[in-house]
Amino acid sequence: MTRPAEPCQTANLVGRGAAWAPGTCGELAQGHLDGTAVMVTCPIDVGSRAVVEVSHGSGSVHGPASAPKAGRAVASTLDLLGRPDLNARLDLESALPRSKGMASSTADVSAAIAATAAALDATLSPQQQAELALAVEPSDGVMLPGIALFDHLGGRIARTLGQPPPMRVLVLEFAGEVDTEAFNAGNRANGVYHDDGHFREALELIAAGLANGDPRQIGEGATLSSQLNQSVLPKPQLSDALKLGQDAGALGVNVAHSGTVIGLLFEADAELIAWAAHSARQRLPEIVAIHNCRMIGGGAVVHPGTQRTVAPTA
């Protein structure tokens, strides 16, 4: 968690925006569709909160040294909105682990973009937010509403498949890290998946589950994609996690296709989830943390605390 930035001087303040964006438990599915790398998002109710203050100045952006990509996203948003002359100060808070495949960087960037727009009383479409995020790095589709199919490298495909039915994700966090940007540049962009037939099957199951409100179809499609990914980024714990999920009555598993986390997918059954969490620590000793999360629809949310002080053109 970063320390709050010093507020801008009131006399120079143009506006203040606050926004929250979700992280993920990896993806429900990821592969290639007609030669384009795509993912199906898995947003959760843990994410990043950004506060952006913009003031009259010389066009400088100050933010946490630990989140340079979010700072670049603020600058790009000001450019898009025609105000590159303004100064901006970014403050970030996040509960997401880094480099595990939980979209920590994308959540930071998405929240920063939405907060910057809010500070100027501007509205950006999900597609505009996605384009800004992709200009910084390959990005998860958490800025898109609902569960989305997203071309995380080029943004050519970006569409909502539907809202998730009531589901929870028990996120199993293991040791190790993956540099998602380097992984995408080295492997996925080079077409690791040569046969997209099975990926299409996984995608169709998930889309049908969203359309029908059927968590079991979503779990089945996610499990298929997690197994396909073993030829790309093998997870040595996957078979044990699958067995644990079966014993616990889970709907299936999903993975971070370019990360280390594995998710057990459940309907909202607190008893089963508690049993699974307890058993996971006994049966999967490599676990470093467990997160009990709710699956939600994506999209940044502007928070209270947003204000306009003076007109941005003054």
mmCIF file of all heavy atoms in Angstrom, residues 143-173:
data_model
loop_
_atom_site.group_PDB
_atom_site.id
_atom_site.type_symbol
_atom_site.label_atom_id
_atom_site.label_comp_id
_atom_site.label_asym_id
_atom_site.label_seq_id
_atom_site.Cartn_x
_atom_site.Cartn_y
_atom_site.Cartn_z
ATOM 1 N N MET A 143 -11.497 -3.375 -17.105
ATOM 2 C CA MET A 143 -12.207 -2.116 -17.314
ATOM 3 C C MET A 143 -13.506 -2.313 -18.100
ATOM 4 O O MET A 143 -14.333 -1.402 -18.199
ATOM 5 C CB MET A 143 -11.304 -1.103 -18.033
ATOM 6 C CG MET A 143 -11.011 -1.406 -19.481
ATOM 7 S SD MET A 143 -9.993 -2.888 -19.778
ATOM 8 C CE MET A 143 -8.437 -2.368 -19.065
ATOM 9 N N LEU A 144 -13.701 -3.495 -18.652
ATOM 10 C CA LEU A 144 -14.921 -3.797 -19.405
ATOM 11 C C LEU A 144 -16.000 -4.322 -18.466
ATOM 12 O O LEU A 144 -15.706 -5.045 -17.517
ATOM 13 C CB LEU A 144 -14.625 -4.842 -20.482
ATOM 14 C CG LEU A 144 -13.526 -4.474 -21.478
ATOM 15 C CD1 LEU A 144 -13.227 -5.657 -22.393
ATOM 16 C CD2 LEU A 144 -13.935 -3.257 -22.296
ATOM 17 N N PRO A 145 -17.261 -3.994 -18.719
ATOM 18 C CA PRO A 145 -18.328 -4.447 -17.821
ATOM 19 C C PRO A 145 -18.568 -5.949 -17.930
ATOM 20 O O PRO A 145 -18.311 -6.568 -18.969
ATOM 21 C CB PRO A 145 -19.553 -3.660 -18.294
ATOM 22 C CG PRO A 145 -19.251 -3.292 -19.715
ATOM 23 C CD PRO A 145 -17.767 -3.119 -19.791
ATOM 24 N N GLY A 146 -19.069 -6.532 -16.843
ATOM 25 C CA GLY A 146 -19.421 -7.948 -16.836
ATOM 26 C C GLY A 146 -18.214 -8.842 -16.970
ATOM 27 O O GLY A 146 -17.089 -8.490 -16.623
ATOM 28 N N ILE A 147 -18.452 -10.055 -17.471
ATOM 29 C CA ILE A 147 -17.383 -10.972 -17.863
ATOM 30 C C ILE A 147 -17.141 -10.713 -19.341
ATOM 31 O O ILE A 147 -18.076 -10.742 -20.141
ATOM 32 C CB ILE A 147 -17.792 -12.441 -17.628
ATOM 33 C CG1 ILE A 147 -18.181 -12.660 -16.168
ATOM 34 C CG2 ILE A 147 -16.649 -13.378 -18.045
ATOM 35 C CD1 ILE A 147 -17.073 -12.406 -15.170
ATOM 36 N N ALA A 148 -15.894 -10.461 -19.710
ATOM 37 C CA ALA A 148 -15.621 -9.970 -21.056
ATOM 38 C C ALA A 148 -14.651 -10.858 -21.806
ATOM 39 O O ALA A 148 -13.770 -11.498 -21.213
ATOM 40 C CB ALA A 148 -15.072 -8.554 -20.997
ATOM 41 N N LEU A 149 -14.813 -10.887 -23.116
ATOM 42 C CA LEU A 149 -13.845 -11.482 -24.033
ATOM 43 C C LEU A 149 -12.979 -10.347 -24.541
ATOM 44 O O LEU A 149 -13.483 -9.364 -25.092
ATOM 45 C CB LEU A 149 -14.566 -12.171 -25.190
ATOM 46 C CG LEU A 149 -13.671 -12.830 -26.250
ATOM 47 C CD1 LEU A 149 -12.947 -14.039 -25.668
ATOM 48 C CD2 LEU A 149 -14.508 -13.254 -27.463
ATOM 49 N N PHE A 150 -11.655 -10.456 -24.358
ATOM 50 C CA PHE A 150 -10.784 -9.309 -24.592
ATOM 51 C C PHE A 150 -9.480 -9.739 -25.238
ATOM 52 O O PHE A 150 -8.856 -10.718 -24.818
ATOM 53 C CB PHE A 150 -10.498 -8.625 -23.255
ATOM 54 C CG PHE A 150 -9.705 -7.347 -23.355
ATOM 55 C CD1 PHE A 150 -10.133 -6.308 -24.162
ATOM 56 C CD2 PHE A 150 -8.542 -7.173 -22.617
ATOM 57 C CE1 PHE A 150 -9.411 -5.122 -24.253
ATOM 58 C CE2 PHE A 150 -7.817 -5.995 -22.695
ATOM 59 C CZ PHE A 150 -8.250 -4.969 -23.507
ATOM 60 N N ASP A 151 -9.109 -9.005 -26.271
ATOM 61 C CA ASP A 151 -7.786 -9.138 -26.890
ATOM 62 C C ASP A 151 -6.837 -8.297 -26.048
ATOM 63 O O ASP A 151 -6.762 -7.076 -26.200
ATOM 64 C CB ASP A 151 -7.856 -8.644 -28.334
ATOM 65 C CG ASP A 151 -6.497 -8.372 -28.966
ATOM 66 O OD1 ASP A 151 -5.476 -8.769 -28.382
ATOM 67 O OD2 ASP A 151 -6.473 -7.736 -30.035
ATOM 68 N N HIS A 152 -6.115 -8.939 -25.151
ATOM 69 C CA HIS A 152 -5.320 -8.243 -24.151
ATOM 70 C C HIS A 152 -4.009 -7.697 -24.693
ATOM 71 O O HIS A 152 -3.277 -7.024 -23.965
ATOM 72 C CB HIS A 152 -5.025 -9.180 -22.975
ATOM 73 C CG HIS A 152 -4.436 -10.498 -23.390
ATOM 74 N ND1 HIS A 152 -5.193 -11.474 -24.001
ATOM 75 C CD2 HIS A 152 -3.188 -10.989 -23.307
ATOM 76 C CE1 HIS A 152 -4.410 -12.512 -24.266
ATOM 77 N NE2 HIS A 152 -3.201 -12.244 -23.857
ATOM 78 N N LEU A 153 -3.701 -7.981 -25.948
ATOM 79 C CA LEU A 153 -2.491 -7.451 -26.570
ATOM 80 C C LEU A 153 -2.792 -6.262 -27.473
ATOM 81 O O LEU A 153 -2.040 -5.291 -27.496
ATOM 82 C CB LEU A 153 -1.780 -8.541 -27.374
ATOM 83 C CG LEU A 153 -1.332 -9.778 -26.597
ATOM 84 C CD1 LEU A 153 -0.678 -10.789 -27.524
ATOM 85 C CD2 LEU A 153 -0.382 -9.402 -25.470
ATOM 86 N N GLY A 154 -3.893 -6.328 -28.222
ATOM 87 C CA GLY A 154 -4.175 -5.274 -29.193
ATOM 88 C C GLY A 154 -5.517 -4.594 -29.054
ATOM 89 O O GLY A 154 -5.753 -3.560 -29.677
ATOM 90 N N GLY A 155 -6.427 -5.147 -28.250
ATOM 91 C CA GLY A 155 -7.726 -4.525 -28.044
ATOM 92 C C GLY A 155 -8.677 -4.625 -29.218
ATOM 93 O O GLY A 155 -9.709 -3.951 -29.244
ATOM 94 N N ARG A 156 -8.369 -5.487 -30.198
ATOM 95 C CA ARG A 156 -9.240 -5.582 -31.374
ATOM 96 C C ARG A 156 -10.559 -6.270 -31.052
ATOM 97 O O ARG A 156 -11.556 -6.088 -31.736
ATOM 98 C CB ARG A 156 -8.502 -6.340 -32.489
ATOM 99 C CG ARG A 156 -7.342 -5.574 -33.098
ATOM 100 C CD ARG A 156 -6.426 -6.472 -33.876
ATOM 101 N NE ARG A 156 -5.705 -7.383 -32.986
ATOM 102 C CZ ARG A 156 -4.783 -8.250 -33.386
ATOM 103 N NH1 ARG A 156 -4.491 -8.334 -34.663
ATOM 104 N NH2 ARG A 156 -4.162 -9.027 -32.511
ATOM 105 N N ILE A 157 -10.552 -7.118 -30.022
ATOM 106 C CA ILE A 157 -11.779 -7.766 -29.544
ATOM 107 C C ILE A 157 -12.003 -7.306 -28.115
ATOM 108 O O ILE A 157 -11.113 -7.440 -27.264
ATOM 109 C CB ILE A 157 -11.660 -9.303 -29.595
ATOM 110 C CG1 ILE A 157 -11.450 -9.783 -31.029
ATOM 111 C CG2 ILE A 157 -12.883 -9.966 -28.981
ATOM 112 C CD1 ILE A 157 -11.142 -11.264 -31.152
ATOM 113 N N ALA A 158 -13.158 -6.739 -27.840
ATOM 114 C CA ALA A 158 -13.481 -6.265 -26.495
ATOM 115 C C ALA A 158 -14.993 -6.246 -26.363
ATOM 116 O O ALA A 158 -15.644 -5.277 -26.746
ATOM 117 C CB ALA A 158 -12.895 -4.884 -26.244
ATOM 118 N N ARG A 159 -15.549 -7.330 -25.849
ATOM 119 C CA ARG A 159 -17.010 -7.368 -25.723
ATOM 120 C C ARG A 159 -17.443 -8.120 -24.465
ATOM 121 O O ARG A 159 -16.785 -9.069 -24.028
ATOM 122 C CB ARG A 159 -17.654 -7.986 -26.954
ATOM 123 C CG ARG A 159 -17.339 -9.450 -27.218
ATOM 124 C CD ARG A 159 -18.170 -9.953 -28.398
ATOM 125 N NE ARG A 159 -17.966 -11.347 -28.697
ATOM 126 C CZ ARG A 159 -17.098 -11.809 -29.577
ATOM 127 N NH1 ARG A 159 -16.322 -10.968 -30.243
ATOM 128 N NH2 ARG A 159 -16.999 -13.110 -29.806
ATOM 129 N N THR A 160 -18.536 -7.669 -23.901
ATOM 130 C CA THR A 160 -19.087 -8.283 -22.699
ATOM 131 C C THR A 160 -19.875 -9.527 -23.072
ATOM 132 O O THR A 160 -20.719 -9.493 -23.971
ATOM 133 C CB THR A 160 -19.985 -7.281 -21.959
ATOM 134 O OG1 THR A 160 -19.194 -6.170 -21.531
ATOM 135 C CG2 THR A 160 -20.650 -7.922 -20.757
ATOM 136 N N LEU A 161 -19.600 -10.629 -22.369
ATOM 137 C CA LEU A 161 -20.327 -11.872 -22.598
ATOM 138 C C LEU A 161 -21.544 -11.988 -21.703
ATOM 139 O O LEU A 161 -22.467 -12.762 -22.001
ATOM 140 C CB LEU A 161 -19.401 -13.073 -22.350
ATOM 141 C CG LEU A 161 -18.143 -13.152 -23.233
ATOM 142 C CD1 LEU A 161 -17.294 -14.351 -22.822
ATOM 143 C CD2 LEU A 161 -18.533 -13.247 -24.704
ATOM 144 N N GLY A 162 -21.575 -11.250 -20.611
ATOM 145 C CA GLY A 162 -22.703 -11.297 -19.688
ATOM 146 C C GLY A 162 -22.235 -11.024 -18.271
ATOM 147 O O GLY A 162 -21.039 -10.944 -17.987
ATOM 148 N N GLN A 163 -23.207 -10.886 -17.369
ATOM 149 C CA GLN A 163 -22.899 -10.702 -15.956
ATOM 150 C C GLN A 163 -22.782 -12.072 -15.286
ATOM 151 O O GLN A 163 -23.516 -13.004 -15.634
ATOM 152 C CB GLN A 163 -23.989 -9.880 -15.269
ATOM 153 C CG GLN A 163 -24.059 -8.436 -15.723
ATOM 154 C CD GLN A 163 -22.823 -7.631 -15.337
ATOM 155 O OE1 GLN A 163 -22.170 -7.919 -14.330
ATOM 156 N NE2 GLN A 163 -22.503 -6.611 -16.132
ATOM 157 N N PRO A 164 -21.884 -12.222 -14.312
ATOM 158 C CA PRO A 164 -21.722 -13.533 -13.681
ATOM 159 C C PRO A 164 -22.894 -13.854 -12.760
ATOM 160 O O PRO A 164 -23.414 -12.954 -12.091
ATOM 161 C CB PRO A 164 -20.424 -13.377 -12.882
ATOM 162 C CG PRO A 164 -20.365 -11.916 -12.563
ATOM 163 C CD PRO A 164 -20.949 -11.225 -13.761
ATOM 164 N N PRO A 165 -23.307 -15.118 -12.710
ATOM 165 C CA PRO A 165 -24.267 -15.520 -11.685
ATOM 166 C C PRO A 165 -23.575 -15.497 -10.329
ATOM 167 O O PRO A 165 -22.342 -15.338 -10.265
ATOM 168 C CB PRO A 165 -24.641 -16.944 -12.101
ATOM 169 C CG PRO A 165 -23.450 -17.438 -12.845
ATOM 170 C CD PRO A 165 -22.862 -16.244 -13.542
ATOM 171 N N PRO A 166 -24.310 -15.636 -9.236
ATOM 172 C CA PRO A 166 -23.654 -15.629 -7.913
ATOM 173 C C PRO A 166 -22.617 -16.749 -7.810
ATOM 174 O O PRO A 166 -22.948 -17.930 -7.836
ATOM 175 C CB PRO A 166 -24.818 -15.862 -6.941
ATOM 176 C CG PRO A 166 -26.027 -15.363 -7.670
ATOM 177 C CD PRO A 166 -25.781 -15.705 -9.115
ATOM 178 N N MET A 167 -21.355 -16.356 -7.736
ATOM 179 C CA MET A 167 -20.246 -17.304 -7.658
ATOM 180 C C MET A 167 -19.145 -16.726 -6.785
ATOM 181 O O MET A 167 -19.000 -15.512 -6.688
ATOM 182 C CB MET A 167 -19.669 -17.615 -9.051
ATOM 183 C CG MET A 167 -20.592 -18.373 -9.972
ATOM 184 S SD MET A 167 -19.836 -18.677 -11.614
ATOM 185 C CE MET A 167 -18.512 -19.834 -11.185
ATOM 186 N N ARG A 168 -18.384 -17.617 -6.168
ATOM 187 C CA ARG A 168 -17.213 -17.212 -5.410
ATOM 188 C C ARG A 168 -15.983 -17.939 -5.946
ATOM 189 O O ARG A 168 -16.117 -19.011 -6.550
ATOM 190 C CB ARG A 168 -17.388 -17.488 -3.912
ATOM 191 C CG ARG A 168 -18.534 -16.686 -3.291
ATOM 192 C CD ARG A 168 -18.435 -16.665 -1.791
ATOM 193 N NE ARG A 168 -17.342 -15.830 -1.304
ATOM 194 C CZ ARG A 168 -17.423 -14.510 -1.104
ATOM 195 N NH1 ARG A 168 -18.553 -13.864 -1.359
ATOM 196 N NH2 ARG A 168 -16.376 -13.833 -0.651
ATOM 197 N N VAL A 169 -14.833 -17.317 -5.729
ATOM 198 C CA VAL A 169 -13.568 -17.893 -6.167
ATOM 199 C C VAL A 169 -12.655 -18.000 -4.952
ATOM 200 O O VAL A 169 -12.368 -16.991 -4.301
ATOM 201 C CB VAL A 169 -12.877 -17.018 -7.233
ATOM 202 C CG1 VAL A 169 -11.667 -17.747 -7.802
ATOM 203 C CG2 VAL A 169 -13.843 -16.632 -8.340
ATOM 204 N N LEU A 170 -12.245 -19.207 -4.649
ATOM 205 C CA LEU A 170 -11.256 -19.408 -3.594
ATOM 206 C C LEU A 170 -9.890 -19.378 -4.279
ATOM 207 O O LEU A 170 -9.498 -20.328 -4.966
ATOM 208 C CB LEU A 170 -11.484 -20.743 -2.879
ATOM 209 C CG LEU A 170 -10.707 -20.939 -1.577
ATOM 210 C CD1 LEU A 170 -11.183 -19.949 -0.505
ATOM 211 C CD2 LEU A 170 -10.864 -22.365 -1.066
ATOM 212 N N VAL A 171 -9.182 -18.273 -4.106
ATOM 213 C CA VAL A 171 -7.925 -18.048 -4.815
ATOM 214 C C VAL A 171 -6.790 -18.677 -4.019
ATOM 215 O O VAL A 171 -6.540 -18.305 -2.868
ATOM 216 C CB VAL A 171 -7.652 -16.548 -5.010
ATOM 217 C CG1 VAL A 171 -6.400 -16.342 -5.852
ATOM 218 C CG2 VAL A 171 -8.855 -15.856 -5.657
ATOM 219 N N LEU A 172 -6.112 -19.619 -4.642
ATOM 220 C CA LEU A 172 -4.971 -20.283 -4.023
ATOM 221 C C LEU A 172 -3.699 -19.634 -4.561
ATOM 222 O O LEU A 172 -3.390 -19.743 -5.752
ATOM 223 C CB LEU A 172 -4.986 -21.781 -4.341
ATOM 224 C CG LEU A 172 -6.311 -22.521 -4.079
ATOM 225 C CD1 LEU A 172 -6.182 -23.995 -4.468
ATOM 226 C CD2 LEU A 172 -6.736 -22.373 -2.623
ATOM 227 N N GLU A 173 -2.987 -18.951 -3.692
ATOM 228 C CA GLU A 173 -1.785 -18.228 -4.098
ATOM 229 C C GLU A 173 -0.550 -19.055 -3.743
ATOM 230 O O GLU A 173 -0.351 -19.432 -2.582
ATOM 231 C CB GLU A 173 -1.734 -16.872 -3.394
ATOM 232 C CG GLU A 173 -0.535 -16.033 -3.767
ATOM 233 C CD GLU A 173 -0.425 -14.763 -2.935
ATOM 234 O OE1 GLU A 173 -1.443 -14.316 -2.379
ATOM 235 O OE2 GLU A 173 0.707 -14.232 -2.839
#
